[in-house]
Amino acid sequence: MSWPTQDELDKIRRIVSEMAGKGAEDVRVVVSPYRICPLGAHIDHQGGIVSAMTINRGILLGFVPSGNTQVALRSAQFKGEVRFRVNETQQPRHSISKGEEIKVDKSSPPEECYWGRYAVGALYALQSRGNRLAQGIIGYICGSDGLDSSGLSSSAAVGIAYLLALESANNLTVSPTENIEYDRVIENEYLGLRNGILDQSAILLSSHGCLTYMNCKTTEHKLIHPPNFLKDHEAEPQKGYKILLAFSGLRQALTSNPGYNSRVAECQEAAKILLHASGNVELEPFLCNVEPETYEAYKVKLEPNLARRAEHYFSENMRVRKGLEAWASGELRDFGQLMSASGLSSIKNYECGCEPLIQLYEVLLRAPGVFGARFSGAGFRGCCVALVDTDCAAEAAKFVREEYPKLQPVLASQLNPDTAVLICEAGDCARVI
């Protein structure tokens, strides 16, 4: 694997060794990759079917067991040191005041340690399901250098990193599916976000070169392997692909945008109306509980904005099903076309995105060798992702670097030229080294 490099591992082990006063050989490292979602946008929270894979960039958390209940954490990206104890009972953060449950070093203002909420959330998730921890950690966390991780599920990668570290230090054996639930608890119950389980599922279940499929209603999952054309010498070998990440420079969601939680509420309202119209009032108001035939029969009862949300859900489910077949057959062009259609539906039907992201998406569609593109993440900030022919990856990246600044010169000027467009490879699942 190309990430993490040995130099990256050696650096983080050296830092933790100095923090803890222990040998570098005692330092364990959690590797928690970022994810992309080629197909299955904005439907995980409604129990839809999704696809995902990880990339060779992400979060590294070096740590050693502290020898007592103390947790002490530092970050490469943020100031301050977060401290708390694993035997302290935690409460959901969204019902208490900011910073209340985090103990910080007196030399560090509490607001500087707000980044520690995911670590405390990991403790809360483990405690809430009956785990009693006795061993804290001394740790140092960092993300891939120079990379704006907006839209790449960095929050899920961070939450999973802390879960794996605390579990490792306390010798807890936890399955990937259990950790998917624990990270959902961090996001939904502790932080009060209304997202689904796509991000953590991708990070915990992916395997290099495979497309991860998940049914978010049943939690059924499987790995879709690409075909091995080399067994058939008469067949044309599958074209290789790279993953192109193109960053917008937009780091904060626009205040005029209603945001993520309101879109979830609209989907649930659409489901409620469709279920009531069909006489299925006993079912929970999620679109996964609405049969496609029911949607077609009663969609006229939906007001326009709810109709668009429902149309995105049902059309995206269909794109995922077709995309799984295309991936398994090695039809990257077909897969890419579905990916681009997903991006268009996110704009037209789900109505996420903003002008810079939409322009960046359109630039990617014109780039040489690109099979398909869409927003990465919610589409309110961050980046776009594309699958590109390996042979054209460098040319496509150059094209985007030249064209996007013509449309958004101010935002583009805020980007690091070296990391404004990245050529990435598929990654593996989260793990402890």
Side-chain angles (χ1 to χ4, degrees):
M1 298 295 294
S2 59
W3 177 81
T5 65
Q6 191 59 51
D7 286 346
E8 288 174 309
L9 292 173
D10 290 344
K11 179 180 178 181
I12 199 167
R13 286 181 173 132
R14 185 170 61 252
I15 291 171
V16 176
S17 173
E18 293 172 358
M19 287 175 62
K22 295 187 177 183
E25 67 277 5
D26 297 324
V27 178
R28 309 171 200 177
V29 181
V30 179
V31 178
S32 189
Y34 298 143
R35 70 94 188 96
I36 61 168
C37 172
L39 291 168
H42 310 298
I43 60 174
D44 59 328
H45 53 73
Q46 294 301 299
I49 58 174
V50 300
S51 72
M53 63 174 63
T54 57
I55 62 173
N56 60 336
R57 302 286 196 284
I59 297 294
L60 298 179
L61 171 59
F63 71 97
V64 294
S66 61
N68 51 45
T69 60
Q70 182 72 58
V71 172
L73 300 168
R74 295 178 187 171
S75 167
Q77 277 76 31
F78 302 101
K79 296 178 180 179
E81 183 174 280
V82 170
R83 287 178 176 268
F84 58 93
R85 292 188 177 274
V86 295
N87 59 349
E88 297 171 347
T89 302
Q90 302 300 328
Q91 300 298 326
R93 186 177 188 88
H94 62 280
S95 65
I96 57 178
S97 61
K98 175 180 174 181
E100 182 179 337
E101 81 287 358
I102 298 178
K103 303 296 187 296
V104 302
D105 186 281
K106 290 183 179 179
S107 63
S108 304
E111 60 271 17
E112 288 188 350
C113 295
Y114 189 51
W115 58 267
R117 64 196 184 277
Y118 279 91
V120 183
L123 174 60
Y124 168 81
L126 290 165
Q127 288 178 343
S128 70
R129 298 305 185 264
N131 297 285
R132 293 294 172 260
L133 279 60
Q135 188 77 238
I137 60 172
I138 299 171
Y140 180 84
I141 190 166
C142 61
S144 294
D145 285 344
L147 175 59
D148 173 15
S149 57
S150 302
L152 299 172
S153 72
S154 55
S155 60
V158 169
I160 289 166
Y162 287 129
L163 285 168
L164 294 183
L166 289 170
E167 291 160 2
S168 175
N170 286 273
N171 297 313
L172 297 177
T173 301
V174 181
S175 70
T177 51
E178 288 175 301
N179 270 328
I180 290 170
E181 169 61 12
Y182 286 149
D183 194 69
R184 185 201 65 77
V185 171
I186 296 173
E187 302 268 9
N188 294 173
E189 297 182 20
Y190 183 71
L191 294 172
L193 302 175
R194 299 182 67 181
N195 49 337
I197 59 172
L198 164 63
D199 297 344
Q200 52 268 61
S201 298
I203 293 167
L204 287 160
L205 299 174
S206 288
S207 180
H208 184 259
C210 298
L211 188 68
T212 303
Y213 157 87
M214 185 157 196
N215 183 318
C216 295
K217 179 180 180 179
T218 66
T219 70
E220 171 201 0
H221 62 272
K222 59 184 176 181
L223 298 174
I224 310 298
H225 294 262
N228 184 0
F229 283 114
L230 298 179
K231 293 179 181 178
D232 183 357
H233 297 292
E234 295 182 2
E236 181 181 351
Q238 180 189 26
K239 281 192 172 184
Y241 70 92
K242 296 290 185 182
I243 298 163
L244 211 63
L245 296 180
F247 295 90
S248 66
L250 189 65
R251 291 177 171 82
Q252 298 295 326
L254 298 181
T255 55
S256 60
N257 200 302
Y260 186 91
N261 283 355
S262 66
R263 288 290 182 272
V264 177
E266 289 166 346
C267 289
Q268 291 180 316
E269 180 63 21
K272 182 179 178 181
I273 292 170
L274 292 167
L275 290 169
H276 275 250
S278 59
N280 294 300
V281 294
E282 76 284 358
L283 297 177
E284 288 189 279
F286 293 104
L287 286 169
C288 63
N289 290 326
V290 179
E291 295 296 330
E293 297 79 10
T294 301
Y295 165 64
E296 291 296 333
Y298 296 103
K299 64 183 180 181
V300 293
K301 293 185 175 292
L302 298 174
E303 59 183 75
N305 68 318
L306 299 185
R308 288 190 291 272
R309 308 299 178 261
E311 174 60 25
H312 175 75
Y313 173 85
F314 287 101
S315 64
E316 188 72 355
N317 263 312
M318 183 59 67
R319 282 187 287 272
V320 173
R321 295 186 190 282
K322 292 181 179 179
L324 297 176
E325 296 175 2
W327 187 267
S329 303
E331 300 293 340
L332 289 180
R333 292 195 180 279
D334 291 346
F335 187 87
Q337 288 174 0
L338 291 164
M339 191 174 166
S340 299
S342 170
L344 185 60
S345 182
S346 292
I347 296 167
K348 300 296 185 183
N349 292 322
Y350 202 74
E351 293 184 280
C352 69
C354 53
E355 185 179 57
L357 267 296
I358 293 170
Q359 290 175 332
L360 185 55
Y361 158 76
E362 292 171 345
V363 168
L364 280 166
L365 292 182
R366 294 190 285 112
V370 166
F371 298 124
R374 54 151 302 207
F375 302 146
S376 185
F380 299 123
R381 62 191 178 114
C383 66
C384 290
V385 60
L387 289 189
V388 59
D389 187 324
T390 298
D391 295 337
C392 300
E395 185 183 359
K398 181 175 181 290
F399 178 87
V400 177
R401 289 191 192 101
E402 292 174 349
E403 294 300 313
Y404 179 65
K406 297 176 184 177
L407 302 170
Q408 290 290 340
V410 175
L411 287 175
S413 69
Q414 300 171 14
L415 294 167
N416 181 339
D418 295 331
T419 56
V421 185
L422 292 177
I423 301 171
C424 301
E425 299 173 358
D428 213 332
C429 62
R431 59 206 182 274
V432 179
I433 300 177

